[in-house]
Amino acid sequence: MCGIIGYCGHRPAVPVILEGLRRLEYRGYDSAGVAFLQQGALHVVRAEGKLANLERRLGEQNVFLATSGIGHTRWATHGLPVEKNAHPHTDAARRLAVIHNGIIENFQEIKNGLQACGCVFASDTDTEVLAHLLASFMDQGLGIEKALSRTLDRVEGTYALVVVCLDEPGVLYAARKSSPLVLGVGVGENFLASDIPAFLPYTRDVVFLEDGEMVRIDAASWRVMDAATLAPVDKDVRRITWDVAAAQKGGYKHFMLKEIFEQPKVIADCMAGRVDVAAGRAILPELAALPRPERLFIVACGTSFHAGLWGMYVLERWAGVPTRVEIASEFRYRDPILLPGDVVVAISQSGETADTLAGVRLARERGAKVIGLCNVVGSSLARESDVVFYTQAGPEISVASTKAMCSQLTALTLLAVHLGEVGGRMSRQDRMDCLHGLCRLPGILEAELPGMRERACLLAKAHSEATSFLYLGRGPYYPLALEGALKLKEISYIHAEGYAAGEMKHGPIALIDPRFPTFALAPVDELFPKVKSNLEEVQARGGRIIALTNPGGDLRVDDVWEVPRSFGPLSAFLMLPALQLFAYEMADYLGKDVDQPRNLAKSVTVE
Ligand code: AGP
């Protein structure tokens, strides 16, 4: 969603802010702007489109005297992505400027009230009401802290916001509720941002703000307070170990390609300290206090939902726990029956997906324990779960999620083995074999990825004319069929549909013709004969087929693509990168914006 950065320090603020916004571009945006105080005046510069447009505007002015300011990249939620709706937004007297990520749900009611008092609005955004409301409280004689507290008390919805005000040059105020905001603590300088990479080159010392907290920063100090009472709040400063390179492309053409090739390391990092192969044990101290669940409800969105769907197969097979997987936006609005002993596993790479967080809150209201399976340390999901199971995949920058899913499958495997042991459902030998298989995957994948990429490149070019694809899979490979289709859709803009292979004859087979290729997942497992006959039905109707299979599968289709097998469903770890690379090579060949596909955001923090 929107990118936010604020700076107070000894450097020229505008270049620092622009550099920070560049590092937040992956969040998806359609306009940008900055605000800073200079020579006693508040300057606001905004532009539609990419940051280059904003930089051109700024190039026309002298912007180097300011040593504090705010910057924003906007992903439109209210109001068209045009300059007047770009952030920052100011009050009528241009006494202050605000940037915001989130949705003010009662903005229209507040706007009507302010307009009735003569307030003139310049935009169609919800955010602008924050600027006018804050100024109205200050006009009543309140200092900015109290005025901001009153403003936050009045608004409903979600926000991560930062304010710069003429009354206090060199000072920024910020607050958060349900949208991410972190404080970067430097030497003689301090930062505020929606995500850590924005200021990582300057400091690794980070303070995570919680919902309901407000913060004041200047060049030399920072102070966190309760937004309602303004009482001081003690906060820990945490040291981030990521280096800047980890958040850069590292020599790959796109973040997505880099992150696909990081998957061997991701599996290893996610397992680190959590596996004892000899004992056939997954060591998950996070779960020690949690009784064995009677039932599991996995709640997630998008790719994380597909990971959860795969998890259902291994959790029921290995752990013997009844498992249900729910799309979070459906779960949050239906009336789920949660019983004592039920556990909800919320899966989210960003830990900020609004629908998933809403599902978590509903689950907790109904008394269920929540395991947050997420990648971002200190994210909202991490803080709102009873137990946090970090996937430790490092920053995932590309909008299309790849290594995050790999880490989620790893974590779900460890969870299944853990519960399989606790519940006595999985024999020690099977647990040893499974964990041994998992431990071998990084090496196998490392060796296989370059060849996979070459094959994916050839197949993508051969099918680049296709306007629609069918992805088929059975059992634990049905979720991969869904994921392969999603990847192709979201970065190459080619329509694709994932389907359970056994469902072909219930309708989709009517679509088959030479212009509608099928991408089939056909691992050589107990369901292979079934998939093979499905593919014969497709072939009989002239459908072209790419079949991702294992050696010894004896398939006779247009393109047989063999990848190594692993322990049972773990073969998914070797098929998933092939699907990702096929979509990547197709999108790259078609010249698409691979890392920032149109209309998409890295983290959907609004519903
Ligand atoms: C996946 O490639 C998409 N970017 C999207 O479906 C994503 O998986 C979904 O929005 C969930 O995000 P989360 O894992 O951060 O909750």
Side-chain angles (χ1 to χ4, degrees):
M1 299 314 292
C2 305
I4 279 181
I5 181 158
Y7 176 76
C8 294
H10 51 80
R11 308 169 202 267
V14 173
V16 171
I17 289 167
L18 284 173
E19 187 190 354
L21 291 180
R22 253 182 249 109
R23 281 204 181 78
L24 296 175
E25 281 190 295
Y26 67 81
R27 299 170 66 88
Y29 70 103
D30 41 50
S31 61
V34 298
F36 53 92
L37 303 184
Q38 188 161 284
Q39 293 166 323
L42 174 63
H43 298 262
V44 178
V45 181
R46 304 177 299 181
E48 279 177 48
K50 295 299 182 188
L51 280 176
N53 300 338
L54 177 62
E55 286 170 318
R56 251 194 306 282
R57 289 271 169 90
L58 286 165
E60 297 154 10
Q61 312 181 33
N62 168 20
V63 298
F64 295 97
L65 298 177
T67 55
S68 67
I70 56 179
H72 185 270
T73 48
R74 177 174 183 252
W75 188 69
T77 54
H78 290 77
L80 295 173
V82 294
E83 182 181 339
K84 73 166 184 174
N85 290 331
H87 301 203
H89 289 287
T90 68
D91 63 311
R94 289 177 77 88
R95 183 179 179 181
L96 57 90
V98 181
I99 54 178
H100 164 235
N101 179 22
I103 289 186
I104 304 301
E105 297 186 358
N106 60 339
F107 86 93
Q108 195 58 59
E109 169 208 334
I110 297 171
K111 184 169 181 174
N112 296 344
L114 289 166
Q115 285 174 320
C117 299
C119 198
V120 177
F121 279 74
S123 80
D124 309 322
T125 68
D126 55 333
T127 301
E128 192 182 353
V129 299
L130 294 169
H132 292 293
L133 193 56
L134 180 54
S136 70
F137 285 124
M138 292 179 74
D139 291 346
Q140 295 167 32
L142 295 181
I144 185 166
E145 285 185 12
K146 188 65 185 156
L148 183 53
S149 177
R150 291 281 297 277
T151 300
L152 300 177
D153 183 50
R154 180 79 178 75
V155 300
E156 294 164 12
T158 62
Y159 50 79
L161 62 88
V162 187
V163 182
V164 61
C165 181
L166 271 173
D167 297 38
E168 298 197 38
V171 176
L172 297 180
Y173 286 89
R176 68 150 286 170
K177 181 184 173 198
S178 297
S179 285
L181 189 66
V182 289
L183 162 62
V185 180
V187 178
E189 57 189 3
N190 289 308
F191 304 78
L192 289 161
S194 34
D195 201 351
I196 292 166
F199 52 68
L200 202 54
Y202 298 100
T203 180
R204 301 174 182 285
D205 292 332
V206 172
V207 174
F208 291 101
L209 297 174
E210 309 266 352
D211 286 358
E213 290 178 348
M214 189 197 299
V215 61
R216 175 194 184 280
I217 70 167
D218 57 29
S221 67
W222 55 276
R223 173 163 51 87
V224 177
M225 59 202 101
D226 180 279
T229 65
L230 300 183
V233 175
D234 287 337
K235 301 293 286 184
D236 295 333
V237 179
R238 299 175 70 162
R239 188 90 176 145
I240 294 299
T241 54
W242 291 346
D243 56 30
V244 175
Q248 301 304 326
K249 293 176 190 158
Y252 289 94
K253 185 176 180 183
H254 296 104
F255 281 115
M256 182 177 177
L257 189 59
K258 169 183 169 288
E259 289 153 6
I260 290 170
F261 275 75
E262 279 183 339
Q263 291 180 119
K265 181 178 182 301
V266 160
I267 298 169
D269 288 351
C270 186
M271 283 193 300
R274 292 170 161 165
V275 169
D276 178 346
V277 178
R281 177 160 300 141
I283 304 158
L284 302 177
E286 304 93 327
L287 304 182
L290 209 61
R292 176 179 160 84
E294 298 296 322
R295 299 187 302 173
L296 286 170
F297 287 73
I298 298 176
V299 176
C301 299
T303 288
S304 295
F305 168 76
H306 298 152
L309 199 55
W310 181 87
M312 174 189 73
Y313 288 91
V314 296
L315 283 161
E316 293 202 333
R317 177 184 299 190
W318 289 338
V321 178
T323 302
R324 180 173 177 149
V325 192
E326 304 247 5
I327 290 172
S329 55
E330 290 299 309
F331 179 79
R332 69 180 289 191
Y333 289 117
R334 71 179 190 81
D335 198 2
I337 308 295
L338 293 175
L339 304 171
D342 287 346
V343 169
V344 167
V345 179
I347 304 177
S348 174
Q349 187 283 132
S350 62
E352 301 299 346
T353 298
D355 287 322
T356 306
L357 291 173
V360 165
R361 290 160 192 155
L362 174 66
R364 301 196 70 181
E365 279 167 21
R366 305 213 168 174
K369 291 291 184 194
V370 174
I371 298 174
L373 201 157
C374 70
N375 186 42
V376 178
V377 171
S379 61
S380 299
L381 176 60
R383 289 197 305 283
E384 298 189 30
S385 300
D386 297 291
V387 170
V388 188
F389 188 164
Y390 283 121
T391 54
Q392 298 169 172
E396 184 176 70
I397 305 297
S398 187
V399 167
S401 188
T402 53
K403 66 174 185 174
M405 181 167 178
C406 178
S407 68
Q408 291 161 352
L409 300 190
T410 306
L412 288 162
T413 301
L414 296 175
L415 179 63
V417 170
H418 169 75
L419 294 176
E421 178 184 13
V422 167
R425 163 85 173 212
M426 205 174 179
S427 72
R428 182 159 180 257
Q429 188 57 53
D430 276 351
R431 285 184 274 116
M432 287 168 67
D433 293 345
C434 176
L435 294 177
H436 180 64
L438 198 60
C439 290
R440 292 185 64 239
L441 281 173
I444 296 170
L445 202 47
E446 195 79 46
E448 290 292 321
L449 278 168
M452 272 186 195
R453 185 182 176 197
E454 284 170 23
R455 189 67 196 279
C457 189
L458 292 173
L459 288 171
K461 286 176 181 160
H463 290 80
S464 57
E465 302 296 319
T467 56
S468 194
F469 259 88
L470 181 63
Y471 281 74
L472 298 179
R474 279 183 183 261
Y477 303 92
Y478 165 49
L480 264 65
L482 298 177
E483 175 61 12
L486 174 64
K487 282 285 143 323
L488 191 70
K489 276 186 282 214
E490 69 175 320
I491 63 173
S492 71
Y493 314 149
I494 295 173
H495 172 259
E497 194 168 4
Y499 234 91
E503 277 290 284
M504 274 288 293
K505 53 188 165 305
H506 300 286
I509 202 161
L511 291 170
I512 299 300
D513 72 23
R515 298 183 315 277
F516 181 53
T518 294
F519 195 122
L521 295 154
V524 181
D525 61 10
E526 65 278 10
L527 294 175
F528 177 74
K530 305 289 183 191
V531 176
K532 187 175 178 183
S533 64
N534 293 143
L535 297 185
E536 284 158 0
E537 291 161 19
V538 170
Q539 244 173 337
R541 289 156 181 82
R544 294 175 63 192
I545 299 171
I546 300 171
L548 199 51
T549 184
N550 305 129
D554 85 320
L555 285 174
R556 288 177 183 73
V557 298
D558 307 270
D559 293 293
V560 175
W561 185 356
E562 291 188 348
V563 295
R565 295 181 68 169
S566 181
F567 178 80
L570 299 190
S571 294
F573 283 90
L574 291 153
M575 294 199 159
L576 178 62
L579 295 167
Q580 296 164 345
L581 286 166
F582 179 73
Y584 171 80
E585 293 297 344
M586 183 72 85
D588 188 40
Y589 181 69
L590 296 175
K592 304 302 182 189
D593 188 347
V594 171
D595 281 330
Q596 296 171 40
R598 67 187 182 197
N599 308 338
L600 288 179
K602 180 58 185 171
S603 175
V604 184
T605 58
V606 294
E607 63 174 297

